[in-house]
Amino acid sequence: MSMTTEPDIRRTAVQRLVRSGAVLLGIVGVWFSALAASTAILGPVGPAVLVLGSDIPARLPDGAGILRANGGRTIVSAPDAAFVRSLYAHGAWLVLPALRNGCMDLRPA
């Protein structure tokens, strides 16, 4: 007959919390990887993409239309997958689908 002590219960709870956090981070990582890969391969689902990277507005390819820029995030008009790949070639860290006007695009006209 074994008795469970309080430190064992705490350790088990911490282990479960760490495991749950790792699973959540894994799911989020897979989600962002799938979005980035599908955007690069198939092209954007809308007229704009979110580009993450340092000093991106100064390094955009020719013909890029900046819709909004804020620090390391830039919303750019993107016509096709080739344009998304050129963003990566010009130093973008991550390119994800975005709404052109943020939440305003979701509001009815």
Side-chain angles (χ1 to χ4, degrees):
M1 186 167 155
S2 69
M3 294 183 61
T4 305
T5 61
E6 193 169 316
D8 289 337
I9 293 171
R10 284 188 193 145
R11 187 173 336 139
T12 303
V14 169
Q15 288 172 344
R16 266 189 253 147
L17 183 63
V18 168
R19 191 177 317 127
S20 297
V23 168
L24 181 62
L25 283 175
I27 291 169
V28 170
V30 167
W31 175 254
F32 277 108
S33 297
L35 277 176
S38 67
T39 302
I41 294 168
L42 304 173
V45 293
V49 290
L50 168 66
V51 183
L52 300 176
S54 61
D55 199 29
I56 288 297
R59 296 184 292 153
L60 287 173
D62 292 335
I66 297 176
L67 302 174
R68 211 170 43 241
N70 181 9
R73 297 175 300 182
T74 306
I75 305 290
V76 179
S77 60
D80 57 17
F83 184 79
V84 171
R85 287 189 288 275
S86 71
L87 289 171
Y88 281 116
H90 282 84
W93 296 343
L94 185 63
V95 179
L96 298 171
L99 297 173
R100 183 179 53 228
N101 293 322
C103 293
M104 295 299 288
D105 275 353
L106 299 175
R107 295 175 70 184

